[in-house]
Amino acid sequence: MSKPANIIWYELMTPDPAGAATFYGAVVGWTIASHADPAVGGMDYRMIGRSDGGNAGGVLALNADMLAGGARPLWIGYLEVDDVDAAVDAIKADGGAVQIPATDLPVGRIAMVTDPQGAPFYIMDPIPPLGAPEGTSDVFSMTEPQRIRWNELATSDPDAAVAFYTKHFGWGQEGEMPMGELGAYRFIQRGEVGIGAVMPLMEGMPGSMWSYYIGVDNIDRAHAAVTANGGTITSEPMEIPGGEYALNAIDPQGAHVGFVGPRN
């Protein structure tokens, strides 16, 4: 890596994009397109719009064949790399696995992989947008609502996971918060920016996985909107460093998701 990898995109894989549009519109304020984006190719892929006119990510509609092949509702992130094929080879050599081989799309070259503990993510060498060759992604922000604000990895082997991501993606790991008998909540950084944490896999989780926390304007309003729109709260709002609150939920289609914001 020539520089620490940026998480440049987030994607919701779901069998019901219209249902997801209703849910995330009510909870977050997003607008999910009612039709596929023709620029992406022959798949049913829809953009997630923020209130400020930017994109928060995308929605991939899971069809019957995908579901029969083992796909499940899931939020997944895209890590930027300089060379997808070289990154795939390095990940495989260190015990990771390939779920979707390196593929060229109109927006760039991608591959879906898992880390050695089984957590899935994409790697991508993107094609810059027309007219913005030096453009940077703004789908992640530690402070702004309607963006992903925190990336959390729950894993069966935190030590190995930290070693894997620091080696392959140039991230740092400084600082931690004790979680009692569960172990440590270890903070990870991209350069000087805190982007998330690595934690031990908790009882009841299906396996090692990334979870993403979406910024909301008010955590209590979001909590009410989750339950009113068919979601399930899995952990109640908990105060986090800095004075805001975070909660975990499952959306109506079965994807795990987190929300973070103030209580006011």
Side-chain angles (χ1 to χ4, degrees), residues 126-240:
I127 296 173
L130 290 175
E134 302 299 326
T136 58
S137 170
D138 68 350
V139 294
F140 171 82
S141 169
M142 287 192 68
T143 59
E144 296 299 316
Q146 296 194 9
R147 291 169 171 83
I148 302 295
R149 291 187 48 189
W150 195 247
N151 309 277
E152 183 180 86
L153 174 63
T155 177
S156 58
D157 190 339
D159 288 339
V162 168
F164 174 82
Y165 287 97
T166 55
K167 174 182 177 180
H168 290 279
F169 300 105
W171 293 344
Q173 193 285 301
E174 295 183 11
E176 62 182 47
M177 183 173 64
M179 299 173 63
E181 295 181 355
L182 294 175
Y185 191 80
R186 306 183 195 185
F187 301 113
I188 51 176
Q189 300 83 28
R190 177 179 181 264
E192 300 298 317
V193 178
I195 59 172
V198 176
M199 62 178 285
L201 193 64
M202 299 177 66
E203 185 177 354
M205 288 185 169
S208 298
M209 60 183 290
W210 282 96
S211 295
Y212 306 101
Y213 288 78
I214 304 165
V216 294
D217 57 351
N218 181 289
I219 200 68
D220 295 308
R221 184 203 58 76
H223 183 286
V226 167
T227 56
N229 289 275
T232 302
I233 301 293
T234 57
S235 68
E236 295 291 332
M238 177 179 66
E239 189 170 5
I240 58 176

Side-chain angles (χ1 to χ4, degrees), residues 17-39:
T22 298
F23 177 78
Y24 289 98
V27 180
V28 184
W30 285 341
T31 300
I32 296 176
S34 59
H35 57 274
D37 188 328

Side-chain angles (χ1 to χ4, degrees), residues 66-118:
M66 294 174 183
L67 294 169
R72 59 186 175 87
L74 179 74
W75 275 99
I76 191 166
Y78 284 65
L79 279 63
E80 184 176 12
V81 298
D82 297 326
D83 185 326
V84 170
D85 298 88
V88 165
D89 289 342
I91 288 167
K92 288 168 59 179
D94 264 2
V98 178
Q99 304 300 308
I100 298 176
T103 304
D104 287 314
L105 298 177
V107 292
R109 188 163 178 80
I110 70 167
M112 183 193 285
V113 298
T114 61
D115 67 24
Q117 290 70 50

